[in-house]
Amino acid sequence: MKKRSLLLIAVMVVSLLAACSQQTQQPQVDNSEKNTEVTTDVLVIGGGGAGMVSGITAAENGSKVIIVEKMPMLGGNTIISATGITASDTDLHEKAGIPFTVEDHIKKTMETGKNLPDEKLVRILAENSNDAYEWLVSMGLSYKLDEKEPWWIIPVEGHYGRQLFNAFNTKVEELGDKIEIKLDTKATELIVEEGNVVGAKVADKEGKEFVIKANSVVIATGGFGNAPELIGEYNKNYVGAHNIMSTAGSTGDGFKMAVAVGAGTRDMEHHQMRPLATPGYWIRETVINEEGLGGILVNTSAVRFTNETLKPLELVPQILKQTDRIAYVVFDSEMAATKNGTSAIKNGNMIEAATIEELAGKLGLDSAKLMETVNSYNEGIDEFGRSTMGKVTVGPFYGVKVAPSSHYTMAGITINENAQVTNESGEAIPGLYAAGEVVGGLYGAGRIAGNNTLDDIVFGKIAGKNASVK
Ligand code: ADP
């Protein structure tokens, strides 16, 4: 996610901490009778990464800003982002003597997206990545290059999402009454007058509705990872997808509100999915497809049902067709010794057992059936066309339930270079801006990790600045 590989418990703790600190720092608006209509310069919908950057930028540009966040805490999916950002031509690259230029960045992004991304937007993303990185450094974050993937800038220590929100909270405090955050406040509909977006209808925790009028509105509501019905609507392979990697607020509200006022959409069938997700973690597919070593997938009847070496996105529908739309990853101690095997055991909370029978018992599977499945796999019997058969022979053995889940919404509404939301003909919808995961056009059919946390900053700043122009 984003390499959203943080354990769920840590996520909840972080989110709660953020919520607590936010609730003490931010003056809450009195939602009593008199507030049936509130007026501001810029209304930002969503208090994740893109919303915070848009709001801060608009306030720094002299606007009075209201950010509405429907959850009781800020953060969205951004706060569970455990690693960092992608950036090109930084001082870190220069010092390390490892070039990763803006052109390299554009090329990598376009190739990963199978050339579907809007290259104009990708260029803006890459060209502004160093500024985004330096902005983060100026707020006290401290980064190094990732050893394996040097385009990836990761915190020297600590958790990226938490550091980011600490920095945002400090900025918000500095901006004083220029920026107001309303938690537990959900935008339900955009208000359009004479073709201009002039605010939104919102509802507080009790469901009491009021109107926030604004010169401009920034949609920063994130993706729809927690709206499986939307994911399945646009890609039949993903019907029945699980949502265990997404935070609760990612239900596609902003996407729907923008489409309702004429926003264009793009790349709608492309949703980043992880076939082997466990709560808060996605197990790397190498644990079931590494040549000569690979483990297996079984269903609730303890039988194999697919060629485990299919591409990850092809595995998703195979698993979703099984009972309860889940499967079990099973591997042995040889796989456990690999990097991804070790990580899966630790972060995916895999269950260990001395024998296959014992593992079956602990997983709630039929012992005799699992034994039979593993034995025939070890004999090289395969009806699914798997060519790189390994073995599952050396105990201890490991297993865990996995559920294909949304990781990132690559699809979304269309924007132009000014972060203005555009209609199907590419014309800007006056008064309406967007940034972050709600936007389509930066990823196409694939996303490199860290570009999304970068795009929150780059397009959040563009949206915030342009939205604050009167
Ligand atoms: P991004 O990376 O694009 O900022 P996030 O998932 O981090 O995306 O943040 C999106 C935020 O928007 C979440 O905190 C989510 O709860 C919030 N949100 C989603 N829909 C609404 C809505 N209708 N009204 C207010 N906030 C919303």
Side-chain angles (χ1 to χ4, degrees):
M1 204 186 140
K2 295 179 185 181
K3 282 186 179 172
R4 290 170 190 150
S5 52
L6 189 65
L7 290 170
L8 192 61
I9 292 170
V11 167
M12 292 169 74
V13 171
V14 166
S15 302
L16 275 172
L17 286 174
C20 294
S21 72
Q22 202 55 51
Q23 274 162 342
T24 49
Q25 286 171 16
Q26 307 310 318
Q28 288 298 291
V29 158
D30 171 16
N31 291 336
S32 59
E33 289 304 313
K34 63 186 185 322
N35 285 331
T36 51
E37 185 168 313
V38 177
T39 304
T40 188
D41 294 330
V42 176
L43 167 63
V44 177
I45 305 176
M52 293 303 282
V53 176
S54 303
I56 288 165
T57 308
E60 285 176 344
N61 278 273
S63 291
K64 169 87 184 77
V65 176
I66 293 178
I67 300 177
V68 290
E69 166 54 57
K70 72 174 175 178
M71 303 303 289
M73 66 201 76
L74 295 171
N77 276 344
T78 309
I79 206 169
I80 64 169
S81 177
T83 46
I85 63 167
T86 292
S88 38
D89 269 341
T90 69
D91 61 349
L92 292 176
H93 294 97
E94 200 181 322
K95 274 182 219 144
I98 301 173
F100 181 62
T101 65
V102 165
E103 295 307 318
D104 294 336
H105 193 163
I106 294 168
K107 189 162 174 271
K108 193 169 180 62
T109 305
M110 293 302 295
E111 279 174 7
T112 308
K114 302 220 169 38
N115 283 323
L116 287 179
D118 178 341
E119 194 163 345
K120 289 192 302 299
L121 298 183
V122 171
R123 179 163 289 281
I124 291 170
L125 183 76
E127 284 179 348
N128 287 283
S129 66
N130 181 49
D131 281 355
Y133 152 73
E134 288 186 350
W135 187 61
L136 294 171
V137 171
S138 77
M139 294 195 295
L141 281 83
S142 161
Y143 287 92
K144 61 183 179 185
L145 294 185
D146 182 272
E147 280 166 26
K148 294 238 165 52
E149 298 169 311
W151 38 272
W152 178 251
I153 311 281
I154 57 174
V156 169
E157 60 182 28
H159 181 266
Y160 176 71
R162 183 172 41 211
Q163 292 180 4
L164 209 50
F165 273 80
N166 286 343
F168 292 157
N169 290 342
T170 305
K171 280 270 177 205
V172 169
E173 262 186 274
E174 284 166 16
L175 286 161
D177 62 5
K178 285 211 147 303
I179 186 162
E180 179 175 39
I181 295 173
K182 292 172 179 287
L183 299 176
D184 280 320
T185 306
K186 176 181 175 173
T188 54
E189 191 183 330
L190 295 171
I191 301 170
V192 183
E193 285 173 6
E194 293 168 9
N196 298 314
V197 175
V198 295
K201 290 184 184 166
V202 301
D204 68 15
K205 194 157 77 177
E206 280 74 44
K208 182 171 158 275
E209 293 187 339
F210 59 106
V211 163
I212 301 181
K213 283 293 203 67
N215 295 331
S216 41
V217 175
V218 180
I219 299 196
T221 45
F224 44 83
N226 191 27
E229 70 290 350
L230 262 188
I231 298 172
E233 183 181 324
Y234 290 105
N235 190 324
K236 298 294 169 224
N237 281 336
Y238 305 154
V239 169
H242 298 261
N243 57 357
I244 57 177
M245 294 181 69
S246 185
T247 49
S250 303
T251 46
D253 302 7
F255 173 82
K256 292 182 205 160
M257 284 188 280
V259 168
V261 299
T265 63
R266 59 179 291 157
D267 306 325
M268 291 309 296
E269 73 275 30
H270 295 294
H271 201 98
Q272 193 163 34
M273 302 288 297
R274 299 298 177 191
L276 311 184
T278 58
Y281 184 72
W282 57 281
I283 293 179
R284 306 309 186 256
E285 294 81 22
T286 57
V287 303
I288 51 164
N289 65 22
E290 194 130 288
E291 202 156 345
L293 269 185
I296 56 171
L297 276 182
V298 298
N299 59 20
T300 51
S301 304
V303 296
R304 287 181 62 226
F305 54 88
T306 188
N307 170 5
E308 292 89 343
T309 65
L310 290 177
K311 293 198 177 107
L313 292 183
E314 293 168 353
L315 272 180
V316 168
Q318 298 305 324
I319 302 175
L320 291 175
K321 274 186 235 160
Q322 307 306 308
T323 304
D324 296 339
R325 304 164 358 254
I326 53 119
Y328 294 83
V329 165
V330 173
F331 61 69
D332 72 2
S333 63
E334 292 198 350
M335 180 57 74
T338 65
K339 181 170 170 274
N340 287 339
T342 308
S343 180
I345 292 166
K346 180 166 165 249
N347 301 312
N349 289 324
M350 293 190 76
I351 289 166
E352 181 183 306
T355 64
I356 289 290
E357 289 93 330
E358 186 190 333
L359 183 66
K362 286 183 171 174
L363 292 173
L365 297 173
D366 183 296
S367 294
K369 196 71 206 169
L370 187 61
M371 197 63 218
E372 187 187 320
T373 298
V374 170
N375 283 341
S376 68
Y377 172 74
N378 288 338
E379 285 164 24
I381 299 167
D382 169 61
E383 56 183 292
F384 306 106
R386 179 167 175 165
S387 54
T388 57
M389 300 288 280
K391 290 212 189 302
V392 180
T393 45
V394 188
F397 301 95
Y398 298 86
V400 71
K401 181 160 84 176
V402 291
S405 294
S406 158
H407 190 176
Y408 191 81
T409 308
M410 298 186 291
I413 53 174
T414 52
I415 59 166
N416 63 19
E417 298 95 310
N418 301 319
Q420 291 171 292
V421 177
T422 52
N423 63 20
E424 294 288 355
S425 314
E427 294 150 352
I429 299 174
L432 190 60
Y433 299 80
E437 199 172 341
V438 70
V439 167
L442 282 159
Y443 304 105
R447 173 186 67 95
I448 57 169
N451 257 350
N452 56 299
T453 34
L454 171 67
D455 97 49
D456 275 357
I457 294 166
V458 170
F459 285 94
K461 276 175 174 275
I462 294 172
K465 186 163 180 217
N466 290 329
S468 66
V469 174
K470 305 230 166 52

